[in-house]
Amino acid sequence: MSSSKRRAPLSIDFIIVGAGIAGLATAFRLCQAGHRVRVFDKAAGPNRRAGGTHLPPNATKVLMDWGFKDELLKHGLSTRASTFISIDTGKVIGCLEWKEDVLQETGADYMVISYRDLYDMLHRAAINAGARITYGTTVTSVHADPPRVELQDGTVLKADMVIGADGPRSTVREAVGGWSSEEVPEGHSAYVAIISRDVLQNDPELSDLTRFHENRPDYPIWTGDSRHVIAFTVAGGAEFAIHAFLPDSEVDGIGDKDGWDVIVPREKLPFHFEPKLQRLLDIPATYQRVRLFQRECAEEWTDGSGRLLIMGEAAHPLYPCVLQSCSMQIEDAEVLGTLFSRLRAWDQLPHLAEAFQELREPRTRAIYAKETKAFDTVWVGPGPQRDARDQALYGMMVEGHKGWDESKMRWQWDEICEVFGYNARDAAEDWWVMWGMLRERSITREGYCPSSYTVPFCMGATVTHYAELRN
Protein backbone atom coordinates (compact mmCIF):
# COMPACT_ATOMS: atom_id res chain seq x y z
CA MET A 1 0.00 0.00 0.00
CA SER A 2 1.26 3.49 -0.88
CA SER A 3 2.14 5.52 2.20
CA SER A 4 -0.15 8.30 0.95
CA LYS A 5 -3.08 5.82 1.13
CA ARG A 6 -2.21 4.24 4.50
CA ARG A 7 -4.27 5.31 7.52
CA ALA A 8 -2.76 5.18 10.99
CA PRO A 9 -4.26 2.61 13.37
CA LEU A 10 -4.23 5.32 16.05
CA SER A 11 -5.74 8.66 15.03
CA ILE A 12 -4.77 11.76 17.04
CA ASP A 13 -5.35 15.52 17.07
CA PHE A 14 -2.74 17.88 15.61
CA ILE A 15 -2.44 21.65 15.72
CA ILE A 16 -0.18 23.10 13.04
CA VAL A 17 1.06 26.67 13.50
CA GLY A 18 1.67 28.23 10.10
CA ALA A 19 -0.22 27.86 6.81
CA GLY A 20 2.61 28.19 4.35
CA ILE A 21 3.71 25.45 1.96
CA ALA A 22 5.06 23.30 4.81
CA GLY A 23 1.98 23.73 6.99
CA LEU A 24 -0.56 23.04 4.24
CA ALA A 25 1.32 20.07 2.81
CA THR A 26 1.70 18.56 6.28
CA ALA A 27 -1.97 19.11 7.08
CA PHE A 28 -2.90 17.33 3.87
CA ARG A 29 -0.65 14.33 4.54
CA LEU A 30 -1.66 13.94 8.17
CA CYS A 31 -5.34 14.06 7.22
CA GLN A 32 -4.66 11.47 4.55
CA ALA A 33 -3.15 9.31 7.29
CA GLY A 34 -6.40 9.54 9.27
CA HIS A 35 -5.45 12.22 11.80
CA ARG A 36 -7.46 15.30 12.74
CA VAL A 37 -5.73 18.57 11.92
CA ARG A 38 -6.28 22.25 12.70
CA VAL A 39 -4.04 24.91 11.15
CA PHE A 40 -3.64 28.48 12.44
CA ASP A 41 -1.91 31.33 10.65
CA LYS A 42 -1.52 34.98 11.58
CA ALA A 43 -1.94 36.16 7.97
CA ALA A 44 -5.28 37.71 7.06
CA GLY A 45 -5.93 35.09 4.39
CA PRO A 46 -4.36 32.58 2.00
CA ASN A 47 -0.88 33.52 0.79
CA ARG A 48 -0.81 35.58 -2.38
CA ARG A 49 2.92 35.85 -2.85
CA ALA A 50 4.05 36.75 -6.34
CA GLY A 51 6.64 34.95 -8.39
CA GLY A 52 7.22 31.35 -9.29
CA THR A 53 8.95 28.35 -7.84
CA HIS A 54 10.98 25.40 -9.04
CA LEU A 55 9.69 21.86 -8.63
CA PRO A 56 12.68 19.61 -9.32
CA PRO A 57 12.13 15.84 -9.60
CA ASN A 58 12.47 15.26 -5.84
CA ALA A 59 9.40 17.48 -5.36
CA THR A 60 7.31 16.52 -8.40
CA LYS A 61 7.54 12.81 -7.58
CA VAL A 62 5.97 13.56 -4.16
CA LEU A 63 3.22 15.71 -5.65
CA MET A 64 2.48 13.10 -8.30
CA ASP A 65 2.18 10.46 -5.59
CA TRP A 66 -0.26 12.74 -3.76
CA GLY A 67 -2.52 12.76 -6.84
CA PHE A 68 -1.70 16.21 -8.24
CA LYS A 69 -0.67 15.10 -11.72
CA ASP A 70 -3.53 16.84 -13.56
CA GLU A 71 -3.02 20.11 -11.68
CA LEU A 72 0.73 20.06 -12.29
CA LEU A 73 0.19 19.51 -16.00
CA LYS A 74 -2.38 22.32 -16.05
CA HIS A 75 -0.42 24.95 -14.10
CA GLY A 76 3.23 23.89 -14.37
CA LEU A 77 5.69 23.65 -17.22
CA SER A 78 8.54 21.23 -17.76
CA THR A 79 12.04 22.64 -18.01
CA ARG A 80 15.32 21.10 -19.06
CA ALA A 81 17.98 23.80 -19.04
CA SER A 82 19.11 27.21 -17.81
CA THR A 83 20.57 29.61 -20.36
CA PHE A 84 23.17 31.90 -18.76
CA ILE A 85 23.38 35.45 -20.08
CA SER A 86 25.68 38.31 -19.12
CA ILE A 87 23.70 40.82 -17.06
CA ASP A 88 25.92 43.62 -18.42
CA THR A 89 26.19 42.81 -22.15
CA GLY A 90 23.31 40.45 -22.95
CA LYS A 91 25.73 37.95 -24.47
CA VAL A 92 24.79 34.27 -24.08
CA ILE A 93 27.47 32.63 -21.91
CA GLY A 94 26.33 29.02 -22.12
CA CYS A 95 23.82 26.67 -20.58
CA LEU A 96 23.31 24.12 -17.87
CA GLU A 97 21.17 21.33 -19.27
CA TRP A 98 19.55 18.35 -17.58
CA LYS A 99 19.63 15.47 -20.03
CA GLU A 100 16.39 13.59 -20.58
CA ASP A 101 17.91 10.22 -19.79
CA VAL A 102 19.25 11.51 -16.48
CA LEU A 103 15.93 13.06 -15.45
CA GLN A 104 14.10 9.85 -16.26
CA GLU A 105 16.38 8.02 -13.86
CA THR A 106 15.36 10.42 -11.04
CA GLY A 107 11.78 9.21 -11.36
CA ALA A 108 10.00 12.49 -12.17
CA ASP A 109 9.98 15.67 -14.21
CA TYR A 110 11.58 19.05 -13.54
CA MET A 111 8.89 21.74 -13.55
CA VAL A 112 8.31 25.40 -12.80
CA ILE A 113 5.03 26.75 -11.44
CA SER A 114 3.68 29.97 -9.96
CA TYR A 115 3.85 30.11 -6.18
CA ARG A 116 0.17 31.07 -6.12
CA ASP A 117 -0.86 27.95 -8.07
CA LEU A 118 1.21 25.65 -5.86
CA TYR A 119 -0.20 27.26 -2.71
CA ASP A 120 -3.80 27.05 -3.93
CA MET A 121 -3.31 23.42 -4.93
CA LEU A 122 -2.14 22.46 -1.45
CA HIS A 123 -4.74 24.67 0.26
CA ARG A 124 -7.61 22.99 -1.59
CA ALA A 125 -6.19 19.53 -0.99
CA ALA A 126 -5.75 20.11 2.74
CA ILE A 127 -9.33 21.35 3.14
CA ASN A 128 -10.75 18.52 1.02
CA ALA A 129 -8.80 16.02 3.13
CA GLY A 130 -10.45 17.38 6.28
CA ALA A 131 -8.06 20.00 7.65
CA ARG A 132 -9.58 23.05 9.36
CA ILE A 133 -7.58 26.17 8.45
CA THR A 134 -8.02 29.45 10.30
CA TYR A 135 -6.37 32.69 9.19
CA GLY A 136 -6.02 35.96 11.08
CA THR A 137 -5.11 34.06 14.25
CA THR A 138 -1.81 34.65 16.04
CA VAL A 139 -0.39 31.95 18.30
CA THR A 140 1.43 33.74 21.13
CA SER A 141 2.68 30.79 23.18
CA VAL A 142 3.01 27.01 22.99
CA HIS A 143 3.22 24.44 25.81
CA ALA A 144 3.91 20.71 25.88
CA ASP A 145 2.35 19.45 29.13
CA PRO A 146 -0.38 19.14 28.07
CA PRO A 147 0.13 20.06 24.37
CA ARG A 148 -1.65 23.37 23.76
CA VAL A 149 -1.40 26.77 22.12
CA GLU A 150 -2.54 30.12 23.40
CA LEU A 151 -3.93 32.65 20.96
CA GLN A 152 -3.57 36.42 21.04
CA ASP A 153 -7.08 36.82 22.45
CA GLY A 154 -6.28 34.46 25.35
CA THR A 155 -8.02 31.40 23.95
CA VAL A 156 -6.27 28.12 24.80
CA LEU A 157 -6.57 25.24 22.32
CA LYS A 158 -5.49 21.70 23.14
CA ALA A 159 -4.24 18.87 20.95
CA ASP A 160 -2.23 15.67 21.17
CA MET A 161 0.66 17.20 19.24
CA VAL A 162 1.65 20.71 18.13
CA ILE A 163 3.69 21.20 14.95
CA GLY A 164 5.53 24.42 14.22
CA ALA A 165 5.59 25.29 10.52
CA ASP A 166 5.69 28.97 11.40
CA GLY A 167 8.92 30.03 9.71
CA PRO A 168 12.37 31.05 10.92
CA ARG A 169 11.04 33.25 13.76
CA SER A 170 9.00 30.38 15.09
CA THR A 171 6.98 30.54 18.29
CA VAL A 172 6.96 26.75 18.47
CA ARG A 173 10.74 26.62 18.06
CA GLU A 174 11.16 28.70 21.22
CA ALA A 175 8.90 26.28 23.10
CA VAL A 176 10.89 23.28 21.85
CA GLY A 177 14.37 24.54 22.60
CA GLY A 178 13.88 27.57 24.80
CA TRP A 179 15.68 29.77 22.26
CA SER A 180 15.01 31.59 19.02
CA SER A 181 16.91 31.30 15.77
CA GLU A 182 19.98 33.47 15.33
CA GLU A 183 20.05 35.17 11.97
CA VAL A 184 22.54 37.35 10.13
CA PRO A 185 21.59 39.35 7.01
CA GLU A 186 23.24 37.69 4.02
CA GLY A 187 23.53 41.02 2.23
CA HIS A 188 21.05 40.48 -0.61
CA SER A 189 17.31 40.62 -1.14
CA ALA A 190 15.06 38.94 -3.67
CA TYR A 191 12.64 41.14 -5.62
CA VAL A 192 9.75 39.26 -7.20
CA ALA A 193 7.05 40.15 -9.70
CA ILE A 194 4.61 38.56 -12.14
CA ILE A 195 3.68 40.01 -15.54
CA SER A 196 1.28 38.86 -18.21
CA ARG A 197 2.91 36.85 -20.97
CA ASP A 198 0.80 38.82 -23.47
CA VAL A 199 2.77 41.95 -22.55
CA LEU A 200 5.97 40.26 -23.69
CA GLN A 201 4.46 38.80 -26.84
CA ASN A 202 3.22 42.23 -27.90
CA ASP A 203 6.67 43.77 -27.41
CA PRO A 204 8.94 43.11 -30.44
CA GLU A 205 12.06 43.48 -28.30
CA LEU A 206 10.91 40.99 -25.63
CA SER A 207 8.70 38.52 -27.51
CA ASP A 208 11.57 36.07 -27.98
CA LEU A 209 11.71 35.58 -24.19
CA THR A 210 8.33 33.81 -24.36
CA ARG A 211 9.80 31.33 -26.82
CA PHE A 212 12.29 29.89 -24.36
CA HIS A 213 9.66 27.30 -23.44
CA GLU A 214 8.19 27.05 -26.93
CA ASN A 215 11.39 26.15 -28.76
CA ARG A 216 12.95 24.13 -25.95
CA PRO A 217 12.17 23.92 -22.26
CA ASP A 218 14.72 26.25 -20.68
CA TYR A 219 14.74 29.58 -18.88
CA PRO A 220 17.18 32.53 -18.82
CA ILE A 221 19.49 33.48 -15.96
CA TRP A 222 21.19 36.85 -16.24
CA THR A 223 24.31 36.67 -14.13
CA GLY A 224 26.63 39.39 -12.89
CA ASP A 225 28.87 40.54 -10.07
CA SER A 226 26.94 39.88 -6.82
CA ARG A 227 23.55 39.92 -8.59
CA HIS A 228 21.39 37.85 -10.91
CA VAL A 229 17.92 37.70 -12.44
CA ILE A 230 15.86 34.62 -13.29
CA ALA A 231 12.70 34.69 -15.42
CA PHE A 232 10.41 31.84 -16.43
CA THR A 233 6.93 31.14 -17.73
CA VAL A 234 4.29 30.02 -15.21
CA ALA A 235 0.50 29.69 -14.85
CA GLY A 236 0.30 27.22 -17.73
CA GLY A 237 2.06 29.70 -20.01
CA ALA A 238 -0.10 32.74 -19.19
CA GLU A 239 2.35 34.62 -16.94
CA PHE A 240 6.04 35.39 -16.62
CA ALA A 241 7.76 35.31 -13.23
CA ILE A 242 10.74 37.56 -12.46
CA HIS A 243 13.14 36.98 -9.55
CA ALA A 244 15.87 39.61 -9.17
CA PHE A 245 18.59 39.31 -6.52
CA LEU A 246 20.36 42.56 -5.61
CA PRO A 247 22.86 43.66 -2.94
CA ASP A 248 21.15 45.48 -0.06
CA SER A 249 23.93 48.07 -0.06
CA GLU A 250 22.75 49.39 -3.44
CA VAL A 251 19.07 49.84 -2.60
CA ASP A 252 18.25 52.99 -0.63
CA GLY A 253 15.16 54.01 1.30
CA ILE A 254 13.45 50.65 1.78
CA GLY A 255 14.22 50.17 5.48
CA ASP A 256 14.83 47.00 7.45
CA LYS A 257 11.30 45.65 7.36
CA ASP A 258 11.27 42.03 6.24
CA GLY A 259 8.70 39.65 4.84
CA TRP A 260 6.67 39.07 1.72
CA ASP A 261 4.35 41.97 2.53
CA VAL A 262 7.11 44.48 1.70
CA ILE A 263 6.23 46.22 -1.59
CA VAL A 264 8.95 48.21 -3.34
CA PRO A 265 8.22 50.67 -6.18
CA ARG A 266 10.19 49.98 -9.34
CA GLU A 267 11.85 53.41 -9.27
CA LYS A 268 13.62 52.58 -6.00
CA LEU A 269 15.46 49.61 -7.51
CA PRO A 270 18.87 50.12 -9.17
CA PHE A 271 18.28 48.13 -12.36
CA HIS A 272 21.08 49.19 -14.72
CA PHE A 273 21.58 46.16 -16.91
CA GLU A 274 21.78 45.14 -20.56
CA PRO A 275 18.97 46.71 -22.66
CA LYS A 276 16.65 43.72 -23.06
CA LEU A 277 16.75 42.80 -19.37
CA GLN A 278 16.36 46.46 -18.45
CA ARG A 279 13.23 46.70 -20.58
CA LEU A 280 11.82 43.56 -18.96
CA LEU A 281 12.45 44.76 -15.41
CA ASP A 282 10.87 48.15 -16.11
CA ILE A 283 7.46 46.58 -16.81
CA PRO A 284 6.26 45.82 -13.24
CA ALA A 285 5.28 48.93 -11.27
CA THR A 286 6.14 47.24 -7.97
CA TYR A 287 8.08 44.27 -6.65
CA GLN A 288 7.65 42.14 -3.54
CA ARG A 289 10.85 42.02 -1.52
CA VAL A 290 12.21 39.46 0.92
CA ARG A 291 15.65 39.63 2.53
CA LEU A 292 18.08 36.75 2.57
CA PHE A 293 19.43 35.66 5.96
CA GLN A 294 22.06 33.19 7.07
CA ARG A 295 20.51 31.00 9.74
CA GLU A 296 21.50 27.97 11.75
CA CYS A 297 19.65 24.68 11.87
CA ALA A 298 17.80 24.10 15.15
CA GLU A 299 19.63 21.77 17.51
CA GLU A 300 16.45 20.03 18.62
CA TRP A 301 13.39 19.64 16.43
CA THR A 302 11.22 18.07 19.11
CA ASP A 303 10.84 18.34 22.88
CA GLY A 304 11.43 15.44 25.26
CA SER A 305 7.77 14.40 25.28
CA GLY A 306 7.54 14.18 21.51
CA ARG A 307 4.42 16.36 21.65
CA LEU A 308 6.02 19.47 20.12
CA LEU A 309 7.81 19.36 16.75
CA ILE A 310 9.17 21.90 14.30
CA MET A 311 9.64 21.57 10.55
CA GLY A 312 10.27 23.65 7.44
CA GLU A 313 12.00 26.96 8.06
CA ALA A 314 11.22 26.70 11.77
CA ALA A 315 13.68 23.79 11.92
CA HIS A 316 16.16 24.30 9.10
CA PRO A 317 17.25 27.32 7.04
CA LEU A 318 15.99 27.90 3.51
CA TYR A 319 16.78 30.68 1.08
CA PRO A 320 13.72 32.16 -0.69
CA CYS A 321 13.23 31.82 -4.44
CA VAL A 322 15.94 29.23 -5.00
CA LEU A 323 15.78 25.82 -6.62
CA GLN A 324 14.88 23.76 -3.53
CA SER A 325 12.94 26.35 -1.46
CA CYS A 326 9.53 24.66 -1.72
CA SER A 327 10.90 21.18 -2.35
CA MET A 328 12.38 20.86 1.13
CA GLN A 329 9.04 21.75 2.68
CA ILE A 330 7.19 19.24 0.51
CA GLU A 331 9.72 16.57 1.43
CA ASP A 332 9.29 17.41 5.12
CA ALA A 333 5.54 16.89 4.82
CA GLU A 334 5.91 13.56 3.03
CA VAL A 335 8.39 12.18 5.56
CA LEU A 336 6.27 13.29 8.52
CA GLY A 337 3.06 12.00 6.97
CA THR A 338 4.62 8.64 6.16
CA LEU A 339 6.02 8.23 9.68
CA PHE A 340 2.76 9.12 11.39
CA SER A 341 0.76 6.83 9.12
CA ARG A 342 2.46 4.11 11.21
CA LEU A 343 1.20 5.43 14.54
CA ARG A 344 -0.52 2.72 16.59
CA ALA A 345 0.46 3.48 20.22
CA TRP A 346 1.00 6.63 22.26
CA ASP A 347 4.55 5.75 23.26
CA GLN A 348 5.56 5.91 19.58
CA LEU A 349 5.16 9.70 19.47
CA PRO A 350 8.64 10.70 20.71
CA HIS A 351 10.30 8.01 18.58
CA LEU A 352 8.54 9.10 15.40
CA ALA A 353 9.29 12.76 16.15
CA GLU A 354 12.98 11.95 16.68
CA ALA A 355 12.98 9.90 13.48
CA PHE A 356 11.76 12.94 11.58
CA GLN A 357 14.80 14.97 12.62
CA GLU A 358 17.11 12.01 12.07
CA LEU A 359 15.90 11.71 8.48
CA ARG A 360 15.52 15.36 7.55
CA GLU A 361 18.37 17.20 9.23
CA PRO A 362 21.24 15.71 7.16
CA ARG A 363 19.25 16.15 3.96
CA THR A 364 18.30 19.79 4.59
CA ARG A 365 21.81 20.70 5.74
CA ALA A 366 23.28 19.28 2.53
CA ILE A 367 20.78 21.12 0.33
CA TYR A 368 21.33 24.42 2.17
CA ALA A 369 25.08 24.07 1.61
CA LYS A 370 24.53 23.42 -2.10
CA GLU A 371 22.22 26.43 -2.46
CA THR A 372 24.78 28.65 -0.70
CA LYS A 373 27.50 27.42 -3.04
CA ALA A 374 25.24 28.07 -6.06
CA PHE A 375 25.06 31.77 -5.15
CA ASP A 376 28.85 31.92 -5.18
CA THR A 377 28.83 30.45 -8.69
CA VAL A 378 26.17 32.78 -10.09
CA TRP A 379 27.48 35.94 -8.40
CA VAL A 380 31.17 35.49 -9.20
CA GLY A 381 32.93 38.71 -10.22
CA PRO A 382 35.30 39.28 -13.14
CA GLY A 383 38.47 37.19 -13.03
CA PRO A 384 39.81 33.66 -13.51
CA GLN A 385 36.97 32.01 -11.55
CA ARG A 386 34.30 33.62 -13.75
CA ASP A 387 36.28 32.77 -16.90
CA ALA A 388 36.44 29.12 -15.84
CA ARG A 389 32.71 29.03 -15.12
CA ASP A 390 31.85 30.64 -18.46
CA GLN A 391 34.08 28.24 -20.33
CA ALA A 392 32.40 25.26 -18.68
CA LEU A 393 28.91 26.58 -19.47
CA TYR A 394 29.87 27.33 -23.07
CA GLY A 395 31.34 23.88 -23.45
CA MET A 396 28.15 22.30 -22.16
CA MET A 397 26.08 24.32 -24.64
CA VAL A 398 28.27 23.36 -27.62
CA GLU A 399 28.60 19.72 -26.60
CA GLY A 400 24.88 19.56 -25.92
CA HIS A 401 24.21 20.16 -29.64
CA LYS A 402 26.65 17.40 -30.59
CA GLY A 403 25.35 14.89 -28.05
CA TRP A 404 26.92 13.75 -24.81
CA ASP A 405 29.05 10.68 -24.46
CA GLU A 406 28.59 8.13 -21.69
CA SER A 407 31.23 9.66 -19.41
CA LYS A 408 29.50 13.06 -19.40
CA MET A 409 26.12 11.43 -18.75
CA ARG A 410 27.62 9.55 -15.82
CA TRP A 411 29.15 12.75 -14.46
CA GLN A 412 25.80 14.52 -14.50
CA TRP A 413 24.01 11.58 -12.88
CA ASP A 414 26.59 11.42 -10.10
CA GLU A 415 26.14 15.16 -9.56
CA ILE A 416 22.36 15.19 -9.25
CA CYS A 417 21.27 11.71 -8.13
CA GLU A 418 21.57 12.55 -4.44
CA VAL A 419 19.52 15.74 -4.92
CA PHE A 420 16.96 15.04 -7.65
CA GLY A 421 16.90 11.30 -7.11
CA TYR A 422 15.96 11.55 -3.43
CA ASN A 423 12.61 9.94 -2.57
CA ALA A 424 11.10 11.26 0.67
CA ARG A 425 8.57 8.45 0.98
CA ASP A 426 11.22 5.76 0.48
CA ALA A 427 13.48 7.41 3.08
CA ALA A 428 10.72 7.26 5.69
CA GLU A 429 9.65 3.73 4.76
CA ASP A 430 13.26 2.53 4.92
CA TRP A 431 13.59 3.97 8.42
CA TRP A 432 10.43 2.16 9.47
CA VAL A 433 11.61 -1.18 8.11
CA MET A 434 15.05 -0.82 9.68
CA TRP A 435 14.17 0.77 13.05
CA GLY A 436 10.44 1.15 13.58
CA MET A 437 9.56 -2.49 13.02
CA LEU A 438 12.65 -3.56 14.97
CA ARG A 439 11.42 -1.59 17.98
CA GLU A 440 7.93 -3.08 17.71
CA ARG A 441 9.36 -6.60 17.59
CA SER A 442 11.51 -5.82 20.61
CA ILE A 443 8.48 -4.58 22.54
CA THR A 444 6.53 -7.70 21.61
CA ARG A 445 9.34 -9.99 22.76
CA GLU A 446 9.52 -8.16 26.10
CA GLY A 447 5.81 -8.71 26.64
CA TYR A 448 4.95 -5.01 26.54
CA CYS A 449 1.26 -4.20 26.33
CA PRO A 450 0.15 -0.63 25.53
CA SER A 451 -3.29 -1.17 27.04
CA SER A 452 -2.18 0.67 30.17
CA TYR A 453 -1.75 3.89 28.22
CA THR A 454 -4.48 6.46 28.58
CA VAL A 455 -5.57 8.46 25.59
CA PRO A 456 -4.91 12.17 26.21
CA PHE A 457 -7.80 14.35 27.34
CA CYS A 458 -8.60 15.65 23.88
CA MET A 459 -9.55 12.15 22.73
CA GLY A 460 -11.83 11.50 25.69
CA ALA A 461 -11.37 7.72 26.01
CA THR A 462 -9.06 5.02 27.29
CA VAL A 463 -7.27 2.50 25.13
CA THR A 464 -8.35 -0.87 26.46
CA HIS A 465 -7.11 -3.31 23.86
CA TYR A 466 -4.14 -2.94 21.57
CA ALA A 467 -5.82 -5.17 19.00
CA GLU A 468 -8.68 -2.71 18.68
CA LEU A 469 -6.27 -0.12 17.30
CA ARG A 470 -5.14 -2.30 14.41
CA ASN A 471 -6.70 -2.19 10.96
Side-chain angles (χ1 to χ4, degrees), residues 122-419:
L122 294 171
H123 184 260
R124 284 193 301 270
I127 291 176
N128 291 338
R132 291 181 289 164
I133 304 172
T134 304
Y135 293 95
T137 304
T138 299
V139 172
T140 56
S141 64
V142 179
H143 307 276
D145 187 18
R148 64 196 189 279
V149 300
E150 183 172 348
L151 308 183
Q152 193 169 35
D153 64 3
T155 301
V156 175
L157 300 171
K158 302 173 183 179
D160 298 314
M161 190 167 185
V162 178
I163 295 176
D166 47 343
R169 294 155 190 162
S170 168
T171 300
V172 184
R173 178 170 175 159
E174 293 184 18
V176 167
W179 40 267
S180 58
S181 172
E182 293 186 6
E183 58 183 28
V184 177
E186 186 279 333
H188 289 77
S189 292
Y191 298 87
V192 177
I194 286 278
I195 58 177
S196 169
R197 192 165 178 259
D198 292 340
V199 174
L200 301 184
Q201 289 179 317
N202 295 330
D203 188 320
E205 295 185 33
L206 298 177
S207 59
D208 62 325
L209 289 176
T210 67
R211 291 193 287 271
F212 270 96
H213 269 287
E214 291 174 359
N215 297 334
R216 63 174 190 156
D218 63 353
Y219 59 89
I221 299 178
W222 288 268
T223 175
D225 185 5
S226 194
R227 70 206 66 220
H228 78 281
V229 178
I230 298 178
F232 48 91
T233 306
V234 295
E239 296 177 337
F240 209 61
I242 301 172
H243 297 176
F245 292 77
L246 300 176
D248 291 334
S249 60
E250 298 183 9
V251 184
D252 298 325
I254 58 175
D256 293 329
K257 187 179 179 182
D258 179 49
W260 284 106
D261 57 343
V262 178
I263 306 299
V264 181
R266 159 65 189 93
E267 58 268 20
K268 287 187 174 291
L269 298 177
F271 293 145
H272 307 296
F273 305 138
E274 60 96 358
K276 179 180 289 187
L277 176 58
Q278 187 70 42
R279 189 176 183 88
L280 173 67
L281 296 176
D282 284 343
I283 294 174
T286 61
Y287 285 78
Q288 284 183 303
R289 174 218 184 199
V290 63
R291 298 179 73 189
L292 275 62
F293 288 89
Q294 294 175 339
R295 297 184 172 102
E296 293 296 325
C297 189
E299 294 180 9
E300 299 294 339
W301 295 18
T302 182
D303 72 322
S305 70
R307 299 305 182 93
L308 304 182
L309 181 143
I310 54 175
M311 64 182 305
E313 288 188 87
H316 52 81
L318 291 170
Y319 287 120
C321 303
V322 296
L323 191 149
Q324 295 284 354
S325 296
C326 289
S327 302
M328 290 300 97
Q329 300 175 71
I330 292 169
E331 286 183 5
D332 278 359
E334 175 59 18
V335 169
L336 195 68
T338 300
L339 290 173
F340 278 84
S341 71
R342 298 286 188 177
L343 183 65
R344 60 177 65 250
W346 294 101
D347 72 319
Q348 285 180 293
L349 287 175
H351 299 284
L352 294 178
E354 290 169 4
F356 177 72
Q357 181 174 0
E358 179 183 330
L359 288 168
R360 296 302 297 155
E361 183 176 359
R363 167 72 173 170
T364 56
R365 282 185 182 275
I367 294 300
Y368 184 67
K370 286 181 179 293
E371 301 283 23
T372 302
K373 186 176 181 180
F375 281 133
D376 295 336
T377 301
V378 175
W379 292 342
V380 63
Q385 188 177 355
R386 177 189 282 188
D387 294 341
R389 180 205 64 186
D390 292 353
Q391 184 177 1
L393 291 170
Y394 179 76
M396 189 174 292
M397 178 173 65
V398 173
E399 292 165 359
H401 292 301
K402 297 178 181 177
W404 286 22
D405 60 28
E406 185 177 346
S407 64
K408 290 186 175 63
M409 293 285 283
R410 173 52 55 188
W411 165 80
Q412 186 170 91
W413 170 247
D414 290 342
E415 284 291 303
I416 71 172
C417 69
E418 66 174 302
V419 179

Side-chain angles (χ1 to χ4, degrees), residues 446-463:
E446 294 171 5
Y448 170 80
C449 176
S451 62
S452 61
Y453 274 74
T454 301
V455 181
F457 51 84
C458 60
M459 302 293 289
T462 299
V463 178

Side-chain angles (χ1 to χ4, degrees), residues 78-94:
S78 297
T79 186
R80 291 291 181 274
S82 309
T83 299
F84 285 75
I85 305 168
S86 168
I87 207 168
D88 300 311
T89 67
K91 176 183 176 182
V92 174
I93 297 168

